[in-house]
Amino acid sequence: MPIDPQDTLLTLQAGLAQLSTLIVSYSFSAIGAVILLVVGYIIAGLGERSIFAGLGHINGFDQTLRHFLSKIVRYAILVLVVIMVLGQFGVQTASIIAALGAIGLAIGLALQGTLQNIAAGIMLLALRPFRIGESVEVGSIAGSIEEIGLFATKLRTADGVYILAPNSTLWNQPVRNFSRNGVRRGDITLSIGSWNDIDRAQKTLLAIAAAERRIRRQPAPIAFVAALGDSTVSITLRYWTSSADFFATQADLTKRAKQEFDSEGISIPLPAPEAPAPEARRQ
């Protein structure tokens, strides 16, 4: 059957008309999408900077947490912008949001331990049970804080060992912060022979404390009898000093107490020798 040129021309004209309509329609959608992307990108940047600057006005707010929260705001705005752009082209945004929720749930289940560390890191940075440079003990972990991250905290032990502790471990246990209050109480206990003058030994310890500039005058240092043995008396010197001087003061006072006791004739008895084994006595 021969093709009618007139019908072919009409069909071509109808197709071109539909194509031009689609081009015009999608051109407006594309222009609107580009505008949305540009405006959304600008708003995301402004939102990030505003949150970062606003949190900076809060006294003591952690720098890492400022960066983290401002980035969350930025990416949240960008995700909303992308969803709006897809809506410009007729994509069902409800299904996209549902898919994102399912993906987020799957990622959350897969990274449950990691998310726990992030949540714990945020709480540590917000509540600040310890700060960089402070000496702490958390369970079996003890050391000086070097860095507090969103996933883990870096510590250095007293003997120079590097520790990387997950934040969830530090958050779920009681924290002993030796630096936070600024002062610490120190005790030095020495055992002297029961035949020595106890009052003289106490006065000697108090004189040592009075001569030490690192010991605080309030509360005043005290010396008291801590325990009685068969032939010994344990005398304790109790004092307060700054957290930074705690260990150095304790070491110096212990050395000076031994030297002063020797010069005053106050004897520190040696431990009694162990009884020989029955086999040795028979020989």
Side-chain angles (χ1 to χ4, degrees), residues 88-267:
Q88 285 289 108
F89 294 97
V91 179
Q92 294 295 325
T93 56
S95 59
I96 295 176
I97 295 174
L100 289 176
I103 293 173
L105 179 60
I107 293 175
L109 293 174
L111 302 177
Q112 186 175 4
T114 302
L115 294 178
Q116 285 180 351
N117 287 326
I118 293 176
I122 293 174
M123 297 303 296
L124 290 174
L125 292 169
L127 298 182
R128 308 299 292 273
F130 45 74
R131 296 183 176 91
I132 294 175
E134 292 184 336
S135 179
V136 301
E137 179 181 324
V138 186
S140 60
I141 301 173
S144 177
I145 303 296
E146 290 194 332
E147 181 181 338
I148 306 172
L150 284 175
F151 298 95
T153 298
K154 297 178 183 178
L155 302 94
R156 180 184 294 273
T157 64
D159 54 351
V161 177
Y162 169 86
I163 296 179
L164 183 66
N167 287 333
S168 58
T169 302
L170 301 178
W171 176 249
N172 291 325
Q173 298 186 73
V175 177
R176 298 184 65 196
N177 193 323
F178 301 107
S179 306
R180 178 58 56 87
N181 292 334
V183 295
R184 288 186 63 182
R185 192 193 77 190
D187 290 350
I188 295 176
T189 301
L190 295 94
S191 294
I192 63 175
S194 57
W195 55 87
N196 290 284
D197 188 341
I198 297 176
D199 292 333
R200 187 178 180 184
Q202 289 178 293
K203 290 179 181 179
T204 301
L205 290 176
L206 289 175
I208 294 172
E212 176 53 63
R213 60 177 179 80
R214 291 170 293 187
I215 292 181
R216 294 177 175 260
R217 300 299 170 243
Q218 292 295 331
I222 60 173
F224 57 93
V225 176
L228 298 174
D230 294 337
S231 60
T232 61
V233 178
S234 296
I235 300 179
T236 296
L237 172 65
R238 176 165 292 174
Y239 60 92
W240 289 83
T241 185
S242 66
S243 300
D245 294 331
F246 178 78
F247 291 105
T249 303
Q250 189 177 56
D252 292 343
L253 287 179
T254 302
K255 177 182 178 181
R256 200 169 305 154
K258 176 63 170 65
Q259 293 172 339
E260 291 296 324
F261 277 10
D262 289 344
S263 63
E264 293 288 336
I266 301 173
S267 59

